[in-house]
């Protein structure tokens, strides 16, 4: 057994005093099931599923139908145990605690066969005083109860009235009553994920020993004083003083690069004590602020805080401090009823571009630092600046938020409540209050987090009556809703973090929801707050079906992941769109049919006689459909930022559902399980570009808007080209006079009746031609080349099978693909199978004979491996 021993020493004059000793219990534990028939070693942090897999007792839980085959694991009651020797003399310490950073979820804890406490919340940190039971050689047991069985018991015990929903839809193949247990809600299943209600110790567990005084928590918030035009830092430190006498001393706070150092005197009385410090930064010092990606740098400053206490006890902490302000602006808009809903960062209005984050795996021990960085780097590589951490998952690990700070990704942080009503008995509320207070303290110092939101869709579920509650009973549930999210969660947020806004739900009407007594008659209003919008029946190429809302925080369409991703968890008999596997993996009612219906509106469906070819072509076509649908909707939101039409508009956010996958299955994600980019993610790289021309039709007139997220105006020209499907040479092209694109606005740059455009371009018809356009200055491209289809591609005239050849060369760590096509090719898809990496562009419209694309591998690979794995597809291959 490897010992994990952290010795914190501090020097005061010539004396040396150990501030605290910390001994980690991570590593090997013993695990056994409820009747003792199965014993095995298991890692901590970890879970039972992972331990069983690592010992070869089960297959990969994601393989084929194993989510059903392994249901027994979650229904058993498992025990984690460990014997260990503490590598220091325990009698010399006044206080010894057992710290559990994360327990999943329901457990009784025995230390040296003495029950010291219980856990009932996956999202809380637990500390138990073991001073009187700890010895040199110790045993620890965590006796888990199945979260599934516990939730059922809690629901059954709640006899006053039902708290819906009881169970997920049958298509999700999940477990019931998840709203009665403070655990990752999607672990009981969701419409994009499996049911794996894990058990285990999912974060660190350790022994802490100390004398006199111990620093338990340390957090801070930068505050900008507008009247003084200066920055301040509010610092809060929580101590456990075990000395029988007061402990005095000094605190020295220093931020060297800001030429700031301040000293404070303090005296700590015995017991739990909070020290609040206020650090002033001279307004004569230039403080560089933290900006979201695409808007500036993510400047941070190293800070040290040193407590020099009686008895030669020194405690030192260091942290990175970022300075930024955030405001949620809800104010009247000329020409529109309701209120705006947008964010100012450092006083500048920011259009939030991005997606929604879900847990990256059902088994958190598989979520590595490398995976987190890969996924979050893919966010900024696609020109996003925001992720919404969705309320049905988890509060992410520290490294997630540190990376968001570093990369400039703003975080809309939900509390972990989703798509359900919740009980409000005192035990449940006490657990939630401890959870929320802990998470606020843990996360508030991160500049990336710009808003707290109480829940996902619960206001809408209540007020739109998802659960068919009678009108006479509704006041009971409204009271519970206000009790949980307003009188408890909101109260804790306002007390614990004044540096960012709070809203009770998403979607919500914001200030209007407050005015209506915390629940709105229509939480999805286009005139207030944010909206969630899904429509799988209307034609997604018709922008008029989308809501001209203030902020779109959820919207999207499904697609299937690539064959190389599915292949790892399936067998040959599964490789059909109508196979048992394909139906099993689809957790959204009617999802497979909806995808084919939406694709069939504009594309011919695959008709190959080869079943495998048909399956691969269908996967490809679902990704084409998804990418084109989300592109159309996102571009509509982006061009609606500066105008009011029919009293609606000023849209200032577009966060599509969803960024990432939790397993290999059809979903709304743009990143497949493991991080491979779907076509949608490549499209996002373009439709979230800081400068973008957006084309659309209205009443048979073709318009192009210019959209800018930049802080300053730019002079540029717009080039519009028309190609026939049958020729690689444009039939006409025009370049505008110099245009001034206003920073932070969306403006009309071009309009022309479609009939005039077709007439001007010779022999064009809607079916035979396609329009492309881009912004440039001094022959330098400033935007992606965008395009507009004048008809459905299943009606395209002149489209012929394109023969696309590729020559691959290597330049350092990057590979260059030189492409040459024989004909115009829509939705050209370059694929290298399971080789990790991404292309500089993909899924593109190829209207020129040649094109150069770069490939950025995420792991070392060779040219020969790429050549063997490379495959190119375009829409012409399945027509």
């Amino acid at each position: 057994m490897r010992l994990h021993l952290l010795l914190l020493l501090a020097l005061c004059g010539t004396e040396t005093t150990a501030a605290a000793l910390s001994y980690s219990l991570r590593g090997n534990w013993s695990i056994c099931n409820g009747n003792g028939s199965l014993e095995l070693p298991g890692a901590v942090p970890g879970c039972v599923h992972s331990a069983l897999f690592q010992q070869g007792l089960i297959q990969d839980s994601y393989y084929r139908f194993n989510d059903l085959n392994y249901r027994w694991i979650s229904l058993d009651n498992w025990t984690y145990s460990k014997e260990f020797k503490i590598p220091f003399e325990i009698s010399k310490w006044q206080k010894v605690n057992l710290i559990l950073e994360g327990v999943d979820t329901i457990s009784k804890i025995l230390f040296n066969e003495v029950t010291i406490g219980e856990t009932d919340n996956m999202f809380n940190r637990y500390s138990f005083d073991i001073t009187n039971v700890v010895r040199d050689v110790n045993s620890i047991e965590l006796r888990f109860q199945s979260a599934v069985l516990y939730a059922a018991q809690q629901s059954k015990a709640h006899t006053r009235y039902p708290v819906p929903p009881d169970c997920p839809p049958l298509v999700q193949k999940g477990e019931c009553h998840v709203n009665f247990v403070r655990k990752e809600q999607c672990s009981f299943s969701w419409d994009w994920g499996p049911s794996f209600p894990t058990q285990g110790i999912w974060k660190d567990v350790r022994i802490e020993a100390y004398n006199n005084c111990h620093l338990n928590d340390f957090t801070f918030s930068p505050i900008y004083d507008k009247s003084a035009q200066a920055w301040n830092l509010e610092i809060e430190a929580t101590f456990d003083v075990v000395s029988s006498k007061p402990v005095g001393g000094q605190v020295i706070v220093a931020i060297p690069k800001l030429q700031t150092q301040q000293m404070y005197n303090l005296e700590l009385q015995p017991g739990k004590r909070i020290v609040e410090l206020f650090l002033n930064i001279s307004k004569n010092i230039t403080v560089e602020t933290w900006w979201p990606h695409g808007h500036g740098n993510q400047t941070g400053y190293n800070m040290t805080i040193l407590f020099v206490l009686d008895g030669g006890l020194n405690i030192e902490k260091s942290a990175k401090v970022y300075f930024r302000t955030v405001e949620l602006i809800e104010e009247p808009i000329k020409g529109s009823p309701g209120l705006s809903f947008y964010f100012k960062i450092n006083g500048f209005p920011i259009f939030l571009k991005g997606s929604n984050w879900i847990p990256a795996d059902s088994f958190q021990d598989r979520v590595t630092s490398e995976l987190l960085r890969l996924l979050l780097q893919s966010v900024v590589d696609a020109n996003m600046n925001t992720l919404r951490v969705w309320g049905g998952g988890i509060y992410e690990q520290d490294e997630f938020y540190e990376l968001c700070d570093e990369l400039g990704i703003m975080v809309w942080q939900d509390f972990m409540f989703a798509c359900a009503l919740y009980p409000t008995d005192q035990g449940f509320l006490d657990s939630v209050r401890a959870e929320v207070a802990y998470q606020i303290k843990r996360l508030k110092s991160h500049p990336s987090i710009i808003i707290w939101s109480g829940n996902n869709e619960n206001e809408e579920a209540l007020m739109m009556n998802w659960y068919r509650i009678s009108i006479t009973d509704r006041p009971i549930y409204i009271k519970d809703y206000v009790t949980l999210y307003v009188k408890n969660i909101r109260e804790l947020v306002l007390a614990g973090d004044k540096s960012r806004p709070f809203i009770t739900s998403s979607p919500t009407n914001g200030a209007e929801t407050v005015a209506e007594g915390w629940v709105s008659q229509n939480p999805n209003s286009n005139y207030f707050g944010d909206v969630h919008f899904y429509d799988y029946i209307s034609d997604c190429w018709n922008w008029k079906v989308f809501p001209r809302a203030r902020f779109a925080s959820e919207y999207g369409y499904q697609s299937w992941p690539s064959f190389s991703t599915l292949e790892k968890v399936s067998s040959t008999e599964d490789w059909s769109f109508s196979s048992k596997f394909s139906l099993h993996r689809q957790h959204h009612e009617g999802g497979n049919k909806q995808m084919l219906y939406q694709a069939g509106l504009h594309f011919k469906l695959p008709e190959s006689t080869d079943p495998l070819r048909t399956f691969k072509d269908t996967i490809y076509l679902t990704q084409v459909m998804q990418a084109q649908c989300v592109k159309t909707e996102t571009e509509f939101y982006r061009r609606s930022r500066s105008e009011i039409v029919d009293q609606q508009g000023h849209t200032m956010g577009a966060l599509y559902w969803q960024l990432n996958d939790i397993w290999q299955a059809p979903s709304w994600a743009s990143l497949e399980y493991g991080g491979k980019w779907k076509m949608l993610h490549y499209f996002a790289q373009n439709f979230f570009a800081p400068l973008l021309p957006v084309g659309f039709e209205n009443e048979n007139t073709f318009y192009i808007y210019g959209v800018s997220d930049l802080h300053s105006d730019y002079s540029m020209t717009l080039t519009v080209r028309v190609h026939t499907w049958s020729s690689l040479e444009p039939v006409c092209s025009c370049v505008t006079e110099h245009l001034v694109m206003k920073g932070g606005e969306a403006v009309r740059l071009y309009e022309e009746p479609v009939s005039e455009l077709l007439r001007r371009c010779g022999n064009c018809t809607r079916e035979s031609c396609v329009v492309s356009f881009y912004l440039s200055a001094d022959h330098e491209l400033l935007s992606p080349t965008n395009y507009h289809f004048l008809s459905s591609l299943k009606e395209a005239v002149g489209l012929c099978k394109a023969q696309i050849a590729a020559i691959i060369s290597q330049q350092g760590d990057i590979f260059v693909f030189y492409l040459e096509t024989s004909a115009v090719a829509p939705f050209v898809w370059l694929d290298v199978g399971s080789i990790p990496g991404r292309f500089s562009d993909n899924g593109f419209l190829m209207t020129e004979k040649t094109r150069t694309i770069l490939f950025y591998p995420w792991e070392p690979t060779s040219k020969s491996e790429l050549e063997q794995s490379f495959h190119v597809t375009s829409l012409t291959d399945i027509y």
Side-chain angles (χ1 to χ4, degrees):
M1 179 179 67
R2 183 182 173 191
L3 300 184
H4 297 270
L5 178 62
L6 174 63
L7 180 61
L8 301 175
L9 297 177
L11 298 178
C12 183
T14 58
E15 297 182 23
T16 300
T17 302
L21 290 178
S22 179
Y23 173 57
S24 177
L25 299 181
R26 64 169 54 220
N28 290 326
W29 287 54
S30 294
I31 302 175
C32 70
N33 66 340
N35 64 13
S37 62
L38 191 58
E39 287 192 47
L40 64 151
V44 170
C47 69
V48 174
H49 287 80
S50 294
L52 290 167
F53 176 70
Q54 286 155 7
Q55 293 302 310
L57 298 174
I58 63 172
Q59 296 174 302
D60 179 358
S61 294
Y62 284 172
Y63 183 70
R64 301 193 76 210
F65 308 100
N66 281 343
D67 54 321
L68 298 184
N69 297 336
Y70 297 155
R71 184 169 177 256
W72 61 272
I73 299 170
S74 300
L75 297 178
D76 207 338
N77 300 318
W78 297 82
T79 296
Y80 273 65
S81 62
K82 184 182 184 73
E83 293 187 357
F84 61 96
K85 186 177 188 299
I86 293 181
F88 51 85
E89 193 172 337
I90 204 71
S91 61
K92 291 186 176 181
W93 300 91
Q94 291 174 280
K95 184 75 172 280
V96 184
N97 289 333
L98 173 68
I99 310 293
L100 297 120
E101 294 289 347
V103 178
D104 181 16
T105 295
I106 310 301
S107 78
K108 177 187 288 187
I109 304 169
L110 284 77
F111 199 92
N112 291 331
E113 301 182 353
V114 176
T115 300
I116 60 169
E118 297 180 344
T119 70
D120 66 358
N121 193 318
M122 179 182 182
F123 308 123
N124 201 2
R125 179 177 67 185
Y126 289 90
S127 177
F128 299 103
D129 185 348
I130 57 171
T131 308
N132 295 326
V133 295
V134 68
R135 302 190 290 257
D136 290 338
V137 179
N138 301 273
S139 67
I140 182 173
E141 275 189 357
L142 272 74
R143 296 178 182 173
F144 286 91
Q145 181 184 359
S146 162
V148 177
L149 301 181
Y150 172 86
Q153 292 170 2
Q154 295 299 112
S155 174
K156 187 177 180 179
H158 195 281
T159 56
R160 289 175 297 150
Y161 49 87
V163 184
D166 286 338
C167 300
L170 290 176
V171 70
Q172 293 182 18
K173 309 162 190 71
E175 304 292 356
C176 300
H177 309 298
V178 68
N179 49 340
F180 277 89
V181 59
R182 292 309 300 144
K183 175 176 172 60
E184 179 184 12
Q185 299 290 274
C186 67
S187 69
F188 277 43
S189 81
W190 218 263
D191 56 4
W192 36 256
S195 176
F196 284 110
T198 48
Q199 292 178 45
I201 304 170
W202 73 293
K203 291 190 177 183
D204 190 35
V205 53
R206 65 185 183 276
I207 306 291
E208 282 188 352
Y210 50 91
N211 291 325
N212 294 328
C213 178
H214 181 62
L215 178 64
N216 287 340
D217 289 299
F218 165 67
T219 190
F220 53 87
S221 294
I223 305 294
Y224 185 70
D225 186 335
K226 287 184 178 179
S227 59
Q229 295 186 324
W231 285 96
N232 304 302
L233 201 61
E234 293 181 355
I235 301 170
E236 183 180 289
T238 305
F239 285 90
D240 181 17
V241 181
V242 294
S243 168
S244 59
K245 298 178 181 179
V247 176
Q250 294 178 319
V251 189
I252 303 163
V253 182
I255 307 177
K257 284 197 173 180
L258 294 179
Q259 303 169 40
T260 298
Q261 181 169 307
Q262 206 160 326
M263 182 181 294
Y264 312 80
N265 294 318
L266 79 162
E267 184 175 83
L268 300 170
Q269 299 296 323
K272 297 286 194 300
R273 298 300 166 197
I274 296 175
V275 174
E276 295 179 339
L277 307 173
F278 198 72
L279 180 68
N280 298 295
I281 296 168
S282 170
K283 65 179 180 180
N284 298 322
I285 301 293
T286 300
V287 177
E288 293 185 29
T289 49
W290 180 95
W291 285 95
H293 174 69
H295 291 273
N297 297 325
Q298 292 75 51
T299 304
Y301 296 90
N302 292 323
M303 174 180 71
T304 59
I305 180 166
L306 176 64
F307 296 89
V308 182
L309 303 176
D310 292 346
L313 178 60
N314 288 11
I315 303 173
E316 184 172 359
K317 286 285 183 181
S318 60
K320 181 83 80 173
V321 182
Y322 299 88
F323 296 87
R324 68 100 184 90
T325 63
V326 56
E327 303 166 84
L328 174 57
I329 307 299
E330 297 179 272
E331 60 188 13
I333 300 173
K334 185 178 179 181
S336 176
L339 300 171
S340 64
F341 190 90
Y342 69 93
F343 293 86
K344 281 186 176 179
I345 305 297
N346 302 324
F348 187 82
I350 304 280
F351 189 103
L352 271 58
K353 307 180 297 186
S355 190
N356 287 261
W357 173 273
I358 66 167
D361 205 296
S362 296
F363 313 107
Q364 280 298 307
D365 51 295
R366 302 203 302 205
V367 181
T368 63
S369 300
E370 292 75 20
L371 177 61
L372 279 179
R373 181 168 284 279
L374 187 157
L375 294 173
L376 293 176
Q377 186 63 50
S378 292
V379 169
V380 296
D381 286 346
N383 287 311
M384 301 182 191
N385 59 29
T386 306
L387 286 178
R388 174 173 170 252
V389 176
W390 169 75
I394 62 170
Y395 306 95
E396 278 296 333
Q397 56 185 278
D398 292 339
E399 190 168 2
F400 172 90
Y401 300 99
E402 291 164 4
L403 284 168
C404 288
D405 295 343
E406 174 191 324
L407 295 170
I409 301 170
M410 293 179 285
V411 173
W412 172 313
Q413 179 67 54
D414 281 1
F415 287 98
M416 294 299 121
F417 303 85
C419 298
L421 307 184
Y422 287 84
T424 56
D425 56 89
Q426 197 56 52
F428 188 86
L429 290 177
D430 289 346
S431 182
V432 167
R433 287 183 68 88
E435 162 196 332
V436 170
Y438 167 62
Q439 294 297 340
I440 291 170
K441 190 174 292 186
R442 181 174 78 95
L443 300 177
K444 65 184 282 188
S445 300
H446 291 283
S448 52
I449 300 176
I450 62 166
I451 187 170
W452 300 105
S453 175
N455 65 71
N456 172 76
E457 298 185 347
N458 296 349
E459 181 186 351
E460 182 178 24
L462 179 59
M463 300 310 290
M464 297 294 101
N465 206 13
W466 290 5
Y467 308 120
R468 298 189 177 98
I469 295 168
S470 68
I471 294 297
T472 55
D473 289 339
R474 185 182 290 182
I476 297 171
Y477 295 94
I478 291 177
K479 181 182 177 183
D480 280 358
Y481 182 92
V482 173
T483 295
L484 179 57
Y485 301 112
V486 181
K487 295 182 179 179
N488 281 277
I489 294 177
R490 178 176 179 270
E491 175 189 287
L492 288 164
V493 172
L494 295 182
D497 182 13
K498 300 178 178 65
S499 67
R500 52 180 63 83
F502 170 84
I503 55 175
T504 49
S505 186
S506 175
T508 186
N509 288 347
E512 175 64 16
T513 287
V514 178
E516 292 184 44
W518 300 105
V519 287
S520 283
Q521 290 304 309
N522 176 20
N524 232 353
S525 169
N526 289 348
Y527 300 104
F528 302 94
D530 65 319
V531 303
H532 295 186
F533 179 79
Y534 296 96
D535 181 352
Y536 310 114
I537 304 304
S538 301
D539 182 358
C540 77
W541 286 26
N542 176 14
W543 57 267
K544 293 182 180 180
V545 306
F546 307 130
R548 201 181 289 270
R550 306 298 191 211
F551 193 110
S553 53
E554 275 194 33
Y555 59 96
Y557 296 84
Q558 279 199 324
S559 73
W560 274 78
S562 62
F563 181 75
S564 62
T565 294
L566 288 171
E567 190 177 17
K568 298 169 186 173
V569 291
S570 59
S571 63
T572 52
E573 69 237 57
D574 301 326
W575 298 340
S576 157
F577 208 64
S578 58
S579 69
K580 183 181 176 183
F581 172 81
S582 293
L583 294 173
H584 173 78
R585 221 68 173 184
Q586 175 58 268
H587 282 199
H588 169 60
E589 189 69 54
N592 289 348
K593 291 181 179 178
Q594 290 168 355
M595 280 186 271
L596 293 182
Y597 169 78
Q598 194 65 237
L601 292 176
H602 297 286
F603 306 103
K604 296 175 184 176
L605 299 181
E607 295 179 343
S608 173
T609 55
D610 177 359
L612 181 57
R613 180 75 263 151
T614 298
F615 185 51
K616 291 181 177 180
D617 287 347
T618 303
I619 289 171
Y620 163 79
L621 199 58
T622 67
Q623 292 207 17
V624 170
M625 175 276 296
Q626 179 196 37
Q628 188 65 22
C629 287
V630 177
K631 172 184 186 291
T632 305
E633 188 166 357
T634 305
E635 289 182 347
F636 167 72
Y637 295 137
R638 290 200 69 191
R639 66 177 169 85
S640 297
R641 69 175 289 169
S642 301
E643 65 181 10
I644 296 293
V645 177
D646 297 330
Q647 298 188 317
Q648 298 180 0
H650 277 210
T651 307
M652 284 297 288
L655 309 179
Y656 66 78
W657 186 268
Q658 67 205 69
L659 177 76
N660 54 313
D661 263 334
I662 198 169
W663 72 331
Q664 307 91 335
S667 77
W668 294 257
S670 62
L671 296 177
E672 299 179 5
Y673 178 75
K676 184 174 182 177
W677 288 30
K678 284 184 180 178
M679 192 178 294
L680 170 56
H681 209 78
Y682 287 101
F683 274 42
Q685 184 177 229
N686 290 328
F687 63 60
F688 281 144
L691 273 176
L692 181 70
V694 175
F696 65 98
E697 288 184 45
N698 190 22
E699 304 297 332
N700 289 315
T701 297
F702 176 55
Y703 296 89
I704 297 177
Y705 275 40
V707 181
S708 172
D709 288 328
L710 305 177
H711 290 217
S712 55
D713 301 347
Y714 268 77
S715 177
M716 63 191 70
T717 58
L718 170 69
T719 300
V720 182
R721 289 178 175 170
V722 177
H723 280 81
T724 63
W725 290 117
S726 58
S727 174
L728 289 166
E729 293 298 325
V731 293
C732 66
S733 178
C734 73
V735 181
T736 65
E737 298 291 326
H738 276 275
L739 306 164
V740 176
M741 184 68 238
K742 288 282 189 181
E745 291 189 14
V747 296
R748 186 184 305 174
L749 302 178
Y750 177 95
E751 67 176 283
E752 185 175 11
V754 175
S755 57
E756 298 240 350
L757 176 67
L758 295 174
R759 181 186 55 78
R760 181 168 59 81
C761 294
N763 297 321
C764 264
T765 65
R766 279 185 172 274
E767 293 74 23
S768 66
C769 289
V770 60
V771 186
S772 62
F773 39 94
Y774 59 87
L775 299 169
S776 62
D778 300 324
H779 305 290
E780 180 183 347
L781 199 64
L782 297 179
S783 76
T785 298
N786 210 339
Y787 56 83
H788 176 71
F789 298 129
L790 295 166
S791 73
S792 295
L793 269 70
K794 66 181 180 181
E795 298 163 356
V797 174
L799 199 59
C800 56
K801 183 172 176 58
Q803 303 294 332
I804 303 174
I807 297 175
I808 305 172
S809 70
Q810 185 170 0
Q811 296 180 3
D813 294 331
I814 298 171
F815 294 87
V816 183
F817 285 66
Y818 300 98
L819 305 178
E820 184 172 319
T821 182
S822 63
V824 173
F827 303 106
V828 175
W829 183 246
L830 313 178
D831 190 62
V832 290
S834 297
I835 295 177
R838 71 170 182 89
F839 291 93
S840 56
D841 197 6
N842 214 343
F844 47 82
L845 172 65
M846 193 165 181
T847 56
E848 293 81 29
K849 187 175 182 61
T850 61
R851 184 159 184 171
T852 300
I853 300 292
L854 305 180
F855 179 74
Y856 305 98
W858 294 332
E859 296 176 4
T861 190
S862 67
K863 177 184 170 184
S864 61
E865 287 175 310
L866 282 175
E867 289 172 336
Q868 290 171 15
S869 301
F870 177 69
H871 180 74
V872 59
T873 305
S874 80
L875 196 67
T876 66
D877 292 317
I878 62 173
Y879 273 25

